[in-house]
Amino acid sequence: MKHKVIIIGSGPAGLTAAIYSARANLKPLVFEGSQPGGQLTITTDVENYPGFPNGIMGPEMMDDFRKQAQKFGAECLFQTVDKVDLTKQPFTVWANKEKYFSDTIIISTGASAKLLGLESEKKLMGNGVSACATCDGFFFKDKKVVVVGGGDSAMEEATFLTKFASEVVIIHRREEFRASKIMLQRAMENSKISIKYNTIVKDILGTEKNGVEFIEIENVLTNGISQLKCDGVFMAIGHTPNTKLFNGKLNLDSKGYIITKPGSSYTNIEGVFACGDVQDSIYKQAVTAAGSGCMAAIDAERWLET
Ligand code: NAP
């Protein structure tokens, strides 16, 4: 059976595209991927999505997005796409050993947390090293933890971790912060949080059995190396777009983001559209992702009509 619209990815962008294309009677098929609901499902309070003056929990919001899409006829599959063929119409999508065909594809695969690239980080991931405070913070009750990064994510994770940890140290590689003033101030005013400036993590020491014991850090101004005792290390150093599936198949920029034609969701292939964080290295907000999901659904609908 051939679909009119297949949507790959289920964050605010993908599910908004699903709401709009379902309401246009296009019966979209959504592949939810390995993290159904996307990055908001691993966050707590969303305080800046318009319409929720008291905030809303990320997972709850994404459940509501999905329900709204399904109400209008979107079909959501909790499967991950393994391969796509965008060279001929209809496009082919492989998932769970099945083949699916579609006239249009909307890509909303989002972005994933970046890591430092240390061997020890890989070895201790899940055993003291984490990229998600919301998921793993609970395991660090009355412990000392480190958060790496100087953006909003680092401030948010550090503040959240103070609910559990006895002490949180933010390690940032320079003196200026990318974080917004309000989030930086909230972290700085928290008595459990301290900040180490001009510092990088050189190594993480510990064992899979006992978890993290200490980290080796370097002051980049003095090149002085020291050790910092801690029980956990949370990476909050940004994200990379999830575009492995489209490498060599679509035009990507130097950082791997899908290139869309300005002011639209059009990619370089007719009938393939992209929305959300997978094509946005600048704004990366739930509300901008949702807006671009709406654009992709409208672009796909108009493209199908012509
Ligand atoms: P980001 O703004 O790109 O910040 C990444 C931080 O990590 C920067 O401070 C960067 O340092 C540091 N970093 C990057 N690579 C590093 C490395 N290899 N070693 C050490 N440090 C490294 O990413 P983000 O904090 O994830 O935020 C992304 C977007 O989401 C932003 O637009 C942000 O506003 C938004 N966001 C919003 C909220 C909220 O409003 N509730 C929460 C989280 C995120 P440099 O500054 O030196 O480059």
Side-chain angles (χ1 to χ4, degrees):
M1 174 191 160
K2 183 165 68 79
H3 296 269
K4 285 200 170 80
V5 179
I6 280 184
I7 298 171
I8 309 177
S10 60
L15 290 178
T16 301
I19 293 168
Y20 272 77
S21 46
R23 280 178 50 80
N25 224 1
L26 297 172
K27 298 190 170 49
L29 176 64
V30 184
F31 285 95
E32 295 240 2
S34 56
Q35 192 176 52
Q39 293 178 72
L40 280 189
T41 59
I42 54 165
T43 187
T44 48
D45 267 338
V46 180
E47 293 177 338
N48 51 10
Y49 201 90
F52 298 93
N54 301 318
I56 179 167
M57 297 302 276
E60 188 188 337
M61 181 154 106
M62 295 325 297
D63 279 348
D64 285 347
F65 268 59
R66 181 179 302 107
K67 278 185 205 142
Q68 198 171 343
Q70 287 170 328
K71 179 173 135 187
F72 297 114
E75 187 187 346
C76 296
L77 295 181
F78 292 92
Q79 291 177 10
T80 302
V81 170
D82 314 306
K83 200 168 92 171
V84 291
D85 182 356
L86 307 178
T87 58
K88 54 185 182 299
Q89 277 283 357
F91 302 122
T92 315
V93 165
W94 283 261
N96 214 14
K97 298 196 179 99
E98 299 268 344
K99 260 193 209 185
Y100 300 83
F101 301 97
S102 184
D103 292 326
T104 66
I105 291 189
I106 295 177
I107 301 168
S108 50
T109 45
S112 297
K114 266 206 266 184
L115 299 173
L116 292 175
L118 303 169
E119 253 327 292
S120 51
E121 169 188 50
K122 225 190 305 173
K123 187 183 91 181
L124 295 169
M125 185 57 70
N127 291 302
V129 177
S130 167
C132 174
T134 320
C135 321
D136 302 323
F138 183 77
F139 302 115
F140 295 88
K141 214 163 180 301
D142 301 321
K143 303 257 161 101
K144 178 171 171 178
V145 297
V146 157
V147 174
V148 186
D152 278 336
S153 296
M155 301 310 131
E156 186 176 65
E157 305 246 309
T159 306
F160 175 77
L161 284 165
T162 60
K163 291 185 188 188
F164 310 98
S166 55
E167 196 183 336
V168 180
V169 184
I170 295 173
I171 295 192
H172 183 35
R173 62 184 176 185
R174 54 191 183 117
E175 263 160 17
E176 296 78 31
F177 288 87
R178 279 179 208 277
S180 54
K181 276 203 183 78
I182 181 168
M183 297 189 66
L184 177 60
Q185 193 182 346
R186 200 178 287 170
M188 283 175 137
E189 283 171 0
N190 191 313
S191 60
K192 282 189 177 178
I193 298 178
S194 60
I195 302 177
K196 277 199 185 297
Y197 301 88
N198 303 311
T199 303
I200 56 169
V201 176
K202 298 281 285 180
D203 205 1
I204 306 169
L205 287 303
T207 61
E208 282 155 80
K209 185 161 172 272
N210 298 326
V212 172
E213 282 152 19
F214 62 94
I215 57 173
E216 207 166 79
I217 51 178
E218 178 181 344
N219 180 312
V220 292
L221 300 182
T222 63
N223 296 117
I225 306 263
S226 57
Q227 292 183 345
L228 180 71
K229 240 179 103 36
C230 61
D231 306 293
V233 183
F234 287 83
M235 302 301 165
I237 58 170
H239 291 81
T240 36
N242 298 324
T243 46
K244 222 164 94 192
L245 208 54
F246 311 106
N247 230 331
K249 297 179 177 170
L250 274 179
N251 286 351
L252 308 179
D253 72 9
S254 59
K255 289 181 183 161
Y257 288 86
I258 295 177
I259 298 172
T260 47
K261 296 198 179 119
S264 82
S265 66
Y266 278 76
T267 67
N268 64 307
I269 296 182
E270 287 281 320
V272 179
F273 306 89
C275 52
D277 285 10
V278 74
Q279 52 85 58
D280 167 24
S281 61
I282 299 168
Y283 301 105
K284 301 182 266 188
Q285 301 299 303
V287 67
T288 48
S292 71
C294 162
M295 287 165 64
I298 292 175
D299 285 345
E301 184 192 350
R302 292 188 181 156
W303 187 85
L304 283 165
E305 273 170 13
T306 56

